[in-house]
DNA sequence: CGCGAGATTGACTCGGGTCAATAGTAGTGG
DNA sequence: CCACTACTATTGACCCGAGTCAATCTCGCG
């Protein structure tokens, strides 16, 4: 039940007891989803012409650290994140990881495998995850019957393309501080879109992974977060991040003349923050 | 606007005189292409079940400096480059250009517009160009009839996605020299794929544009090219580049990406990485 | 022929990478 | 419960790669 949720296990579970009116769908374990649910998850308007319950998509669970797919593995299915957090990485010729994205609820995985029929990246669960399987064959076959599926696919792929373009722009043009700032804002927005707090959240990834994602070292990420903390833009406690000034983060290009940042200024900021909320900032005086 | 052939012109042209074997296609100006030609151009195996000559795609010519589409413009058509060279750019909040790609023969433009129905980037001709128009509506409509069209689209979009992933990896992990080196190799390969010489070619873009594309300044690009020239890897004369040692360019690096020390592969690689760190410019795998 | 855009090269600066020491945190087992 | 270990995060000191500023050179074009 734990180490590897294989298709066999899922069949065993789902066929174990099938409630007739549920048409084979296992509700409580969230083992199946219909097209409507998939579209909702992707934030794509599903001009619902289909409620056919035979059009169900299987769920699979992955535990922290498990790999959803690896580079070079034969491609046959796409995944949609129903819950949990992951990272996708490229491995260079020396075995070094390059983080490409941090997929979470509503994001699609595996699209890079379509072209060569082999996944071009590796997806790893950063927390326990629940993913929906979209067998690509099935998808394209259904695409000809239900044209919203087709548009869904185009939309998702195009969206992903735009996201990567923005990423390239960021890596090419922004300073370390601006990258970290935008990363935090982006995370906050995504949490907000998922219904979580955009003001206080936990990072699911290490500094190292953030650094890889942003083209920086973990030290620079750590230092930058500390600097933001001193200035009062955020609060940092390990992986707990509090967003204090989203506007400033959004428009930040460069940090104010860094040399003049004295201890006194830092202490002042710290005091304000402590007054504002009950948080333990450990920036020792 | 400029000389943009309209759909009416197409109908006029195609019905004007129909040479039986040409089936209404205007040869001399390369004004039309059928699906087979489009697939060939994209290097996608067209399991040819269609030779229907009513399935023709219009060409459009753009002159150097002209914009094919701009950011925010309503999306309705994709483009395939039949000849010529272009750049696609993002414009940031201060009007600065960020070059995203240098499309040439066989590349597709406009895919980033599908998601929001507005182009997310701007495409500019760096030379006189001949593009094939693929009206998106028409394309999706045909996709349901001829499923190879569908696969074509998925394939092209996925390919583009993989390309951008590689770009992100490069920007995130490689030194200036390695980026320039790989850029040259990539250009050489693409020229080779088009039937041109991969040993001697002309850059269609300025140092500034190359720098923007690679996340560097034009001075760094210029200096790096000069350095490669001195070392004998290439010859440089303004925009004329001669590739002398493609292998060296391909494997050239600098900073061992100490950023990512992967647990599994990391230990194995440590010695090599450290050794590589003492290397100067050249490194052989 | 002169003008302006592009390219090259040098001198200087500094952002961020590297190396290293320390400390906080989580998981494991006694 | 604590001790032990491995991982993660924070911080400081140092320095090098690449950005910035600026002068000069080349070339294409009206």
């Amino acid at each position: 039940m734990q180490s590897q949720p294989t298709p066999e296990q899922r069949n065993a579970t789902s066929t174990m007891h099938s409630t007739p009116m549920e048409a084979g769908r296992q509700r409580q374990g969230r083992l199946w989803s219909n097209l409507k649910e998939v579209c909702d998850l992707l934030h794509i308007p599903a001009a619902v012409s289909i409620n056919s319950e035979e059009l169900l998509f299987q769920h699979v669970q992955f535990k922290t650290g498990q790999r959803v797919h690896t580079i070079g593995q034969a491609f046959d299915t796409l995944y949609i994140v129903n819950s949990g957090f992951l990272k996708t990485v490229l491995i260079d010729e020396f075995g070094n990881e390059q983080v490409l994205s941090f997929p979470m609820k509503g994001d699609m995985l595996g699209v890079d495998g379509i072209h060569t029929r082999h996944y071009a990246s590796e997806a790893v669960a950063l927390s326990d995850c629940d993913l929906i399987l979209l067998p690509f064959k099935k998808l394209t076959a259904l695409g000809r019957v239900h044209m919203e599926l087709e548009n869904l696919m185009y939309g998702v792929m195009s969206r992903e393309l735009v996201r990567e373009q923005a990423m390239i722009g960021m890596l090419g043009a922004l300073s370390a501080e601006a990258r970290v700032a935008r990363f935090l804002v982006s995370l906050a927005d995504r949490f907000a879109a998922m219904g979580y707090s955009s003001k206080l959240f936990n990072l699911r990834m290490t500094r190292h992974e953030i650094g890889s994602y942003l083209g920086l070292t973990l030290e620079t990420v750590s230092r930058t977060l500390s600097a933001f903390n001193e200035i009062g833009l955020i609060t940092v406690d390990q992986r707990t991040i509090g967003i204090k000034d989203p506007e400033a983060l959004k428009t930040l290009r460069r940090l104010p003349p860094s040399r003049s940042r004295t201890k006194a200024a830092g202490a002042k900021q710290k005091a304000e923050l402590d007054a504002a909320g009950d948080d333990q900032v450990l920036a020792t005086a």
Side-chain angles (χ1 to χ4, degrees), chain A:
Chain A
M1 57 192 90
Q2 285 67 339
S3 46
Q4 293 271 19
T6 62
E8 294 73 48
Q9 283 178 302
R10 110 51 219 146
N11 285 331
T13 308
S14 62
T15 55
M16 201 180 299
H17 67 100
S18 51
T19 319
M21 67 277 204
E22 282 285 319
R25 169 142 52 133
Q26 183 67 280
R27 267 268 177 229
Q28 61 273 43
R30 297 259 16 133
L31 294 178
W32 299 92
S33 285
N34 61 27
L35 184 58
K36 174 88 170 62
E37 293 168 322
V38 168
C39 288
D40 289 350
L41 213 43
L42 291 168
H43 305 112
I44 287 193
V48 202
S49 63
I50 326 163
N51 52 359
S52 50
E53 285 297 328
E54 74 273 17
L55 190 43
L56 290 178
F57 297 99
Q58 184 185 161
H59 288 228
V60 182
Q61 282 72 233
F62 289 89
K63 294 202 307 178
T64 305
Q66 280 190 315
R67 251 162 293 268
V68 177
H69 59 73
T70 62
I71 297 175
Q73 177 187 335
F75 163 85
D76 59 344
T77 112
L78 298 169
Y79 304 84
I80 294 173
V81 183
N82 185 45
S83 72
F85 301 86
L86 305 93
K87 66 173 176 181
T88 65
V89 300
L90 234 47
I91 314 278
D92 73 12
E93 57 263 60
F94 307 113
N96 301 314
E97 286 190 0
Q98 167 71 44
V99 175
L100 293 173
S101 64
F102 293 112
M104 52 185 78
K105 186 175 180 180
D107 291 327
M108 188 176 274
L109 294 179
V111 181
D112 58 31
I114 295 176
H115 176 227
T116 61
R117 299 295 154 158
H118 293 270
Y119 296 103
S121 66
E122 180 169 312
V124 183
L126 296 180
S127 71
D128 290 2
C129 290
D130 182 58
L131 306 187
I132 302 177
L133 296 179
L134 306 181
F136 189 62
K137 284 270 167 51
K138 188 176 173 186
L139 213 58
T140 50
L142 288 169
R144 269 187 303 293
V145 184
H146 311 291
M147 71 171 288
E148 43 261 290
L149 251 190
E150 199 174 46
N151 289 330
L152 180 152
M153 283 296 297
Y154 289 143
V156 170
M157 292 179 73
S158 176
R159 183 211 289 169
E160 191 60 20
L161 215 67
V162 172
R163 192 193 68 78
E164 290 196 355
Q165 281 185 2
M167 194 67 204
I168 292 174
M170 182 168 107
L171 290 177
L174 296 190
S175 69
E177 286 134 13
R179 292 184 207 182
V180 175
R182 299 213 177 180
F183 172 69
L184 293 175
V185 171
S186 152
L187 270 190
D189 289 347
R190 295 170 78 189
F191 280 122
M194 290 167 51
Y196 297 142
S197 167
S198 66
K199 297 291 167 209
L200 188 66
F201 51 83
N202 271 73
L203 300 175
R204 286 354 194 266
M205 64 295 283
T206 68
R207 301 287 191 266
H208 179 258
E209 287 162 340
I210 297 173
S212 173
Y213 178 64
L214 297 176
L216 303 170
T217 59
L218 69 289
E219 291 98 328
T220 298
V221 173
S222 181
R223 267 188 261 270
T224 305
L225 290 176
S226 297
F228 287 171
N229 181 38
E230 280 185 35
I231 299 202
L233 300 184
I234 64 174
T235 61
V236 187
D237 176 45
Q238 295 292 118
R239 294 197 183 178
T240 302
I241 300 286
I243 304 288
K244 295 300 172 191
D245 192 343
E247 281 316 306
L249 287 174
K250 251 171 258 189
T251 60
L252 185 142
R253 296 227 114 213
R254 283 224 139 80
L255 233 38
S258 43
R259 283 298 166 231
S260 61
R261 219 161 55 228
T262 63
K263 264 190 184 179
K268 182 177 81 67
Q269 292 290 353
K270 176 176 178 291
E272 291 175 4
L273 290 174
D274 284 342
D278 186 6
D279 44 27
Q280 49 200 42
V281 185
L282 40 140
T284 62

